[in-house]
Amino acid sequence: ALEDPAGQDLDSNLGSGVIVRPDGYILTNHHVVESSDDAEVLLADGQRLRAAVIGSDPETDLAVLKADRNSLPAIQFGDAAGVRVGDVVLAIGNPFGVGQTVTMGIVSALGRTQLGINLFENFIQTDAAINPGNSGGALIDSQGRLIGINTAIYSRSGGATGIGFAIPVSTARDILGQ
């Protein structure tokens, strides 16, 4: 069964996000914030910020948040066209609410479609562990550049089984621009 790895408790729906611009723009999954107009963002250094959901697209499962803060550390975008099967990748997120975690794997496949997750599908498949709470987190290349937004896993148990899916950075960049 395909499952989104977001937390199940709607009162404290934990997910992950990626700061993509120093002036407070954050990318995450639509399913992480779909029932909210705002969110509380916990940075890796323990700071808490309020962020407004300024755009959300259920068809790609992407959302954009805006924190009222400048000079945030922003990730560099990678080149989705340069991603190859076998490339080493890291999945960053907050699985099970335990705090920021990094897992390593490879790109297992590109262009995965017809999974029934989103209307528009073109996923990067990875075996990097993606667990509940990793939704909206970064999939990065070995140089630390964003190549995808973690969005779903294939699991019968609800935990990582080595089949995870990320939305390519090219799609994320388009949604951010819109």
Side-chain angles (χ1 to χ4, degrees), residues 85-157:
V85 172
D87 286 354
V88 172
V89 292
L90 304 170
I92 302 174
N94 183 12
F96 302 106
V98 300
Q100 183 173 318
T101 303
V102 178
T103 58
M104 183 178 79
I106 63 167
V107 172
S108 304
L110 296 168
R112 288 288 193 220
T113 61
Q114 301 178 353
L115 300 173
I117 300 170
N118 299 344
L119 182 60
F120 297 109
E121 295 184 338
N122 176 26
F123 293 109
I124 299 168
Q125 182 181 328
T126 182
D127 67 348
I130 297 174
N131 285 293
N134 275 111
S135 285
L139 186 69
I140 64 172
D141 64 17
S142 61
Q143 304 301 309
R145 298 173 298 216
L146 182 68
I147 62 164
I149 301 293
N150 302 323
T151 195
I153 57 174
Y154 180 85
S155 177
R156 293 192 173 132
S157 66

Side-chain angles (χ1 to χ4, degrees), residues 20 25-28 33 52-57 62-66 172 175-177:
V20 292
Y25 285 88
I26 301 166
L27 278 171
T28 189
V33 297
V53 177
I54 61 168
S56 192
D57 181 24
L62 288 168
V64 179
L65 289 84
K66 174 70 168 81
I175 295 300
L176 178 64

